[in-house]
Amino acid sequence: MNGPTLSIVIPCFNEEACLGELHRRVTAAARGTVGSSYEIVLVNDGSRDRTWPMMQALAHDDPHLVAINLSRNHGHQLALTAGLDLCSGDRILIIDADLQDPPELLPEMMATMDRQEADVVYAVRRQRAGETAFKKATASLFYRALSRITDVEIPVDAGDFRLMSRRALDALLALPEQARFIRGMVAWVGFRQVPFLYDRAERHAGETKYPLRKMLAFALDAVTGFSTAPLRIASHIGLWLVAASVLLLLYIAVGFVTGSAIQGWTSLMLVVVVLGAVQMFVLGMIGEYLGRLFIEAKRRPLYIVSEIAGEAGGRRALGHVAETIATKETPGVSEIRPIA
Ligand code: UDP
Ligand code: MG
């Protein structure tokens, strides 16, 4: 009898330079840990390079591989969601395609899960090699700020690299939101979650798919998804302004009594400009929440699958999808064509 079946889920966007090495190292790690009862679920997130043909070729040769092609680039968190939806293991390892998170840690993470009877073993970065000082500083600052304003204990310095039990994954998949900050959603789910320290390696090849613009959008999703504190900013600023205006009133009253009232235009403009800026900022904050509310209200599927490749894997995934369709509303599967 084999051990628990393991699914390794990997979102890939323009990762042609990493795929071969990724497949080799992940396979070695999985074999060394669970023998042959594993599957590797690769999700192609609308890559513009040779990632998808390479995935198809790999899936053709390796019966353990399931390759999912999304209809376009849906973004890291949604690509990951697609893989998580379609994987079938009792335990699930989430890992990046660029080998920054070493697959060789799998046996230790499995052992930690067994020993501590945990549902989630999340990897915490002790060190991050090959990343700019700017990225490290902003990431560190961001995670600390986030943990201050949220009620959920979102672990500091942890990415999506983690091992999860099936019940934790099912709980995660029950959360329907579009704006997905998966590391936070996993924390929200609860159960027993334990950290696992590791040193983050450099990218195997290629460059980061998270430019500053995407990082900022991701950070906003995190904040708005897990905290309504920014919405209270207006009332806080308002209270301070009330106090300030009382002082200003006193000042004006004194000026009126002593007859030294009329003064220049500068102070007036200053107040107008500052108040205008504060109002715009607060309106913008409200807009961020309103926009997300609007997007959620449309209830669109999270992603669209265009095809699934992989011999046994493809059929298994297909069965899984069919089951999903039969039992509940499926998350946007348009056409499934296993290559067999
Ligand atoms: N990724 C993705 N879709 C995207 C951007 C990234 O599937 O739109 C994948 C990417 O291929 C990688 C993972 O998400 O496997 C993390 O991306 P990356 O390593 O570039 O981010 P970083 O480690 O620099 O934060
Ligand atoms: Mg990376």
Side-chain angles (χ1 to χ4, degrees):
M1 181 59 200
N2 288 321
T5 56
L6 173 71
S7 294
I8 300 160
V9 179
I10 316 176
C12 307
F13 177 56
N14 294 344
E15 300 285 8
E16 61 180 6
C18 296
L19 267 185
E21 181 71 2
L22 173 74
H23 179 241
R24 198 185 59 72
R25 282 175 58 184
V26 166
T27 301
R31 281 200 178 282
T33 316
V34 294
S36 66
S37 52
Y38 71 94
E39 67 174 355
I40 301 173
V41 180
L42 295 177
V43 184
N44 174 38
D45 188 18
S47 300
R48 284 180 276 274
D49 63 359
R50 291 191 31 78
T51 298
W52 176 242
M54 287 177 71
M55 276 187 190
Q56 283 177 303
L58 286 172
H60 184 75
D61 296 336
D62 179 0
H64 290 279
L65 208 134
V66 183
I68 300 166
N69 196 19
L70 297 188
S71 61
R72 62 172 173 84
N73 179 258
H74 282 75
H76 176 205
Q77 300 286 296
L78 293 177
L80 182 54
T81 304
L84 293 174
D85 265 331
L86 294 179
C87 76
S88 57
D90 299 330
R91 286 188 179 181
I92 299 91
L93 178 73
I94 301 175
I95 190 167
D96 280 355
D98 58 2
L99 293 165
Q100 277 194 292
D101 311 321
E104 289 74 23
L105 296 178
L106 174 65
E108 283 174 64
M109 292 171 87
M110 292 283 266
T112 306
M113 181 170 265
D114 289 331
R115 204 172 43 241
Q116 309 220 24
E117 293 181 4
D119 279 279
V120 178
V121 177
Y122 59 91
V124 175
R125 299 152 182 178
R126 197 163 33 197
Q127 271 178 23
R128 314 170 64 140
E131 287 181 303
T132 59
F134 176 75
K135 178 147 186 169
K136 281 189 256 193
T138 46
S140 163
L141 208 74
F142 168 68
Y143 283 119
R144 276 158 187 83
L146 185 65
S147 73
R148 287 192 63 141
I149 59 167
T150 52
D151 310 328
V152 186
E153 293 250 336
I154 300 174
V156 169
D157 297 330
D160 288 323
F161 182 31
R162 60 190 61 214
L163 183 67
M164 298 175 70
S165 69
R166 173 47 66 177
R167 71 166 181 169
L169 178 67
D170 284 344
L172 171 70
L173 293 178
L175 308 189
E177 57 247 56
Q178 288 275 347
R180 293 178 96 73
F181 180 65
I182 291 182
R183 55 204 72 166
M185 292 162 70
V186 173
W188 182 90
V189 158
F191 298 126
R192 189 168 160 68
Q193 312 208 357
V194 297
F196 178 89
L197 281 177
Y198 81 116
D199 295 323
R200 195 159 206 231
E202 280 186 49
R203 232 178 191 283
H204 171 67
E207 51 195 40
T208 176
K209 309 297 182 295
Y210 263 98
L212 187 62
R213 180 178 49 82
K214 275 197 206 170
M215 264 165 56
L216 284 177
F218 190 51
L220 257 178
D221 274 347
V223 172
T224 52
F226 286 88
S227 172
T228 51
L231 284 177
R232 287 193 292 271
I233 257 180
S235 5
H236 288 296
I237 297 178
L239 276 177
W240 284 107
L241 284 179
V242 166
S245 45
V246 167
L247 292 179
L248 197 65
L249 259 169
L250 282 177
Y251 174 75
I252 292 169
V254 169
F256 189 73
V257 172
T258 57
S260 63
I262 312 289
Q263 286 210 359
W265 166 96
T266 329
S267 48
L268 191 66
M269 276 313 276
L270 191 77
V271 173
V272 170
V273 166
V274 168
L275 279 188
V278 168
Q279 284 177 359
M280 284 302 169
F281 175 73
V282 171
L283 263 181
M285 287 304 315
I286 297 174
E288 287 293 337
Y289 282 88
L290 188 66
R292 281 172 174 73
L293 209 59
F294 171 65
I295 288 168
E296 298 292 348
K298 289 197 277 199
R299 294 179 54 88
R300 290 199 179 152
L302 299 180
Y303 55 84
I304 305 286
V305 174
S306 87
E307 56 200 307
I308 298 180
E311 270 194 53
R315 262 192 291 277
R316 196 165 62 225
L318 186 62
H320 182 77
V321 173
E323 206 177 297
T324 325
I325 293 172
T327 52
K328 58 172 185 185
E329 259 182 69
T330 184
V333 175
S334 61
E335 181 198 349
I336 302 113
R337 188 153 30 93
I339 293 174

